[in-house]
Amino acid sequence: MDDIEAELKIDSPGNETTNQEIIKNPLHIEAPSKYYETGFHRSSRKCLKVIRDAMLHHNWQKAAEYFTSYIQTLEDTTVTSAHLTRDVIWRLGAEILHHLANASIDDFNAVYEIMKHAGVSNYAKICLEHAFHLLLNGQSDEAKRQLSSASHWRYGKLTDAQSLEMKLIHAYCGFLDYFIWSNKISTTPETEDVSSLQEISMYFRQASVTLQEIITRPGIWDPFVLSYITMLEHNNSLDEALKVLQNYAYNKDFPSNPNAHVYLYQFLKRHNAPQSALISSLRILHSAVPSHKLMLEFCSLLLKKHQDTALKEALCACMDLLEFSSWKCDRDAWKCLLKILQRPKNEHNMVKEEWAVRRSLWMAFHFRPYIIKTESQKDVRLWRIKERVLKLLGEDLHIEDTRKSPSGQRDRHHNASEDNVDGDSRRGPARNSNSSFKRDESKAAREGNAAGLRDRLTDFTHRKRPINTLNSTGQLVPVGFIPDV
Amino acid sequence: MDNTFPDKLFPQFYLDGPPQIKPKHGHGGWGSYGRVFHSSADLCDADGDNQQSFESQRTVKGDKWVPVKPAVTPLIPPCEDAKVLYGPLPDPMDFPEHMQYFNQHHCLDAFSTMGHLLKDHWSFARKHPVEVLSLKWVNRFLEGLNHKRCQLSYYWEKIRHTHHLLGDFVSDIPQSLLSELLHEELTSQREQQEFCPDLTGGALGYMSLHQARGGGDGCLIYPSGAALDTLNFHRVVPEYHVDKPPSFFMDSKPFAFELNGTIRQLSLGNMEDAGNVAVRSDYFCSSWVLGDSRKPHFQEVIRTKERFSCVTVSPHVPDELVVATEQGSAYLWTVRKGLQKFRREDSNPYLNPKTAWRWCEFSCHPRVMVFADRMGAELTDARNHDCYHALFRVGKTSGCKMGERVILTKYLSESHANHHLITTQFSAYIMDERFPCVPMLKWDHMMESQPMFASVLPDMTSNNACKLLLGAPKSQEVMLLQYKGGREHACQTRGPIQKLFSPSESLSHLNLLLPHKRHIAQKRLLVPAAGLAAVQNKDYLSVFQLTETGDLFYQTLHKHQATTNENLTEPIIDNVDKDHSPTLETNEDAQESSSRSRGCNSTSSPKPSKDHDFQVAWNKWFQPLFKKASSKKQHLRHRQIKTNGLIDVQVPEAYTQQKDRLKSLKRDLHDVMRKKEVLTHGVTHLPRLNVTPVPDPIDPAEWPDDLSQRLAAAWDDNWKDWWDDKLGLNREEKIKALRGKRLREKQGRRRRLSLSGSFTTSVSYQDDLYEGSTIASQYLGSDEEDLEDSQGMNKDEGTLEMAKLKPALNSEEEPLKSVLRMPQKLEQEDLFEDSTRSPRVTNLGVLPLVNVTPTKQTSKQTTFDFGSWFGSHKSTQDSEEEVGLSFSQMSSTSQLTLSSQKVPKVRGLSQSSQPKKKSRMGF
């Protein structure tokens, strides 16, 4: 909270108008007319606008034509924000090149190389992008060379300003080292050749040092962590690997990455950790992401424990899982719930308590008529499981069917009155027919004599409809009833 | 399978803290790859010989969506009595003008009360009772008000007193109060026009009536009427043909319901047997039901004293909605069961300035809601009031910029059960609720105003991309964003952002209108957008747009495939931009534009083009608007006097002829300018110009006297040399030079062998020069020092380039006579060179910085040498070694083009030196 306030002190000194101002101006495309604009600046601004429009409409050929002229702004020394211009130029240039059929790898290299050195304020970023471009085009050796040369780049304060990018450059450098290492490991047989072993260990050292460094910083480092763990496992330093994974999953500075928990769990499972350790790691994942795929495994692990508490936990976890719409039609999850409910040791009370809490939601969410209808037609196997679950939960579907959710009532009700209404609506424009929305008491009284409407409104006057008002506590207070017209 | 989470995500830093990045420029969405990782699933299994393949967060190529028509098409006839606000934003400091207008033109409203009171005491009658003030006095008083004079004189004191007494009461509303209120109102109006959060979400919806069958008929739900207070349910049947763009057939009349306030937002639920539609106006929210086989009907309405800021229909359970009010309360509203408050925030938790905007959305769990304000969005459990955690927060989500604010959040239930869209004024984020605070995907949407409407189109098949449409009200922009993944794979964007057409752009694609009609049309089309909806059918994507005047437009895009019928891709040719593009125009276009220039009233005459239907649709749409405007005019009818019979002057025939000629000249000029050609005299039909012959050149040899020689020398800047020659001051130098020359000639004879060997290279030299790839050309353009340097550098190689340059140098040193004799001839040679020998160089002159390679070049597409883009920059030389080939190309071409005038000149010199060289070889 206080950090935000720190920010707000910078950008909005505490009144609404400034805040509105900030929202108002998303982009500064048009130059402000405060300062005197030279002809060159004006034409280059207009040129940029044309390029921008062409690019937004995917008119790359036209954009390229104008872009050849726009690069003249690189020579402009009077612009106060020259580094912005350079950033814009490399972005536009790279994007246009991506979409021109005759662009070669040399052209890309030229753009990246030149823009890298043209005002070094974006050096690290462009280096990184250049390396990515090479990687994506299968030139990983060249990319490695680029990255390692960029990692030694020093330019005083400008290097410090780009420290994040520099760290990423180091990290990707190590990442590529790791690939070289893993390639060498898999290709070279178990030789006793000292030089090759030395080379392998060199790559190992380089990769592990850089990867270790980057994954201690808060962030999402899934590919890096995976490769670092592979290396550690290869080196048989399992304790170190566990420590790294635990830090990645449980460190408070890191975002709560579900994958971190998954990696830890998989690591534990791979190395035959005791069941309790597996369960506890999954329990933490459950608290963070109750809809995770591993929750099914969590349930089955809990079921193996043969304890009442574990069974209850499994029931909760499984029912939680099924409440998420992504799991709604998952047969495995329903099977799991069925299995839990079928447990002989199953205490009836426990299930009843859970069901009582969730019943209203579940009836509308899983067992409303439309879903029953479609599922019994399309996915019969799922529906059979669901039917059995419902039986075990002590609900009778047929009874439920008759006093089901309001939507069911509504459906039947409307089907009955369908014929009345349909004909009317065709006869005249429905403009005045359903004006009940706008009617409060006085209006309703005024229009009370509109007896001609009576026939048309049969659909809506079966019951009196309240217009409700929210009072200050948020409860619904009926303010009046619309009389039958 | 929405329940799987990507097994690995793209690496990124997590920066928890106030955002430090300042918003820089609006082009951040291009050129970057984001991050990359290797795509193979398991490293250990990867075959050692194979290179690792990598994937980037932003992929370059995506599905290509091509608009079928050149602009949007109107869908329903316009609402005739809609109010159009047009013109500059109201300035709060204009309030005196508004007050003046009020006082002048609504004086009864402004002063009537006091006037009635004073009526009995002021009289304009000549004979008046004693107690009533006379006209004279009043007149003087009014005069005194008009002129500032001595404040101390007797009368003026009286006036001042009266003024003090009455100043506050004369006008019905005290002036200070009125001006204050007026200022406030103008300020708020301005704010509303600049950014109006009421419209968030958009008041347009399209609901497919058959959930199972994708291509069936649907229902378009939109507000209409002058105040947008009529809710319309309009059945639409889209028809898709293989060879034709799809069209929409609409029922003759919609189901219309008049509501009690302006419709601000519509929210649609899923279509099962029936689908819910929620409508929000300022103080009411209502729920409606829509079904395939029954007419739409109303369910329930709720009303508050606070304004509603959001209503959303649940995608999970029918008849469930959430509403949020501007006071910060959020309710779960179950129709016919009542409301349940699940959240109340009196203040903005993370924001000092209070903003009233609140928003609610559902999430993957039917009882967990997203509660958003300007600083972020939180997942709130409706069953447990205190249980919430941040889904997105400006301070916590890394990559946010300073001053970034949430504009809209939307639950993307159709595309992924766990995904949420969050838009800010700079970016659009895809958030996964399983991994809060870290965006799965982020775009810089590059829109000019804030995106307040969003529409999502899920991927129909698993290998297609999801499509997101973002719409902004003020600028009417609609952006198409494509992405993929989020299940087994991490999310990736597909291709760059595409901008779709907006209604305001469409005028330029239509026939020209008369200025006043154009103005009406422009005014109407520039109105801010109010909603956005989209529907997809296989390879077609139709986008509906609603404006604040209740006008509905649509455009259709077609997925471009390699095998697509050419007919469908044709209409993308942009009519507006033809003036700028160098593509050759067809005859048809030329005719069309000439017809445009001839008569302005071409709206009535159908345009002979393939977009005939398009033009007709627009004409039909404009008709009621123009009709209304013209009917309005009739109130101000003026007297017309026909002058045809009055002025009876015979127009001479010559005059009419000239007029015709001028007309044709105008037309020709127009054509020529459009084609970017030169206007030749033959075309113009103008009287021939008298060509004054150039006087014969003066041969200085014919004037041997001293004065003439000296003058000739002075013209060539050799005045001093002439005197030196005359006085014999430079004799020693001359002798020296002569000796040196002979010495060189001797050496030349010795080197004859090598010279003839290098002559063969001289043939290729010329070609190289044209191709722009030799280093020599670089030196050619530069000044003399460079030339000498190049000589020094090339000395060892002994190529002919140097040998050819040398005579050129020598010729400068030679006495002026030879030069003076030659000038005409040299110039002619140059001209000859330019026109015949170097056609490519002239090409370069036309298209600067473009290296045209004629073998590959197609008629329409120009190819580019991208190395040459940056050729003029200084750092080329520094990094020349690293880049190698491309750089050398680059520098040479750029020099060529930058000094395109110099090149032929120098070449001309070298050409002129060739006969000399021959004679030397004959030595």
Side-chain angles (χ1 to χ4, degrees), chain B residues 693-709:
Chain B
V694 182
D696 289 333
I698 297 164
D699 188 2
E702 286 174 13
W703 301 80
D705 60 309
D706 261 9
L707 181 63
S708 307
Q709 288 283 344

Side-chain angles (χ1 to χ4, degrees), chain B residues 111-123 132 166 169-172:
Chain B
F111 304 110
S112 64
T113 316
M114 205 44 160
H116 279 298
L117 283 176
L118 293 176
K119 192 170 66 179
D120 301 337
H121 304 279
W122 305 64
S123 170
V132 175
L166 300 177
F169 308 110
V170 169
S171 48
D172 283 6

Side-chain angles (χ1 to χ4, degrees), chain A residues 23 52 71 178 263 368 434, chain B residues 7 257 272 446 450 869:
Chain A
I23 295 175
R52 186 189 147 85
I71 47 168
Y178 161 76
Y263 298 155
R368 65 171 180 267
N434 295 302
Chain B
D7 55 355
F257 303 92
E272 294 181 351
M446 303 188 279
Q450 304 83 0
W869 287 0

Side-chain angles (χ1 to χ4, degrees), chain B residues 766 800-811 814 822 826 829 905-921:
Chain B
Q766 288 293 337
L800 197 79
E801 289 157 27
M802 182 193 80
K804 275 198 310 181
L805 286 167
K806 231 192 244 167
L809 276 176
N810 286 343
S811 70
E814 268 181 293
M822 294 292 287
L826 267 179
E829 263 184 23
K905 191 174 109 193
V906 179
R907 199 184 306 118
L909 283 173
S910 63
Q911 288 285 326
S912 72
S913 70
Q914 280 207 353
K916 271 181 200 166
K917 193 176 63 194
K918 265 183 194 166
S919 70
R920 253 193 293 146
M921 283 168 74

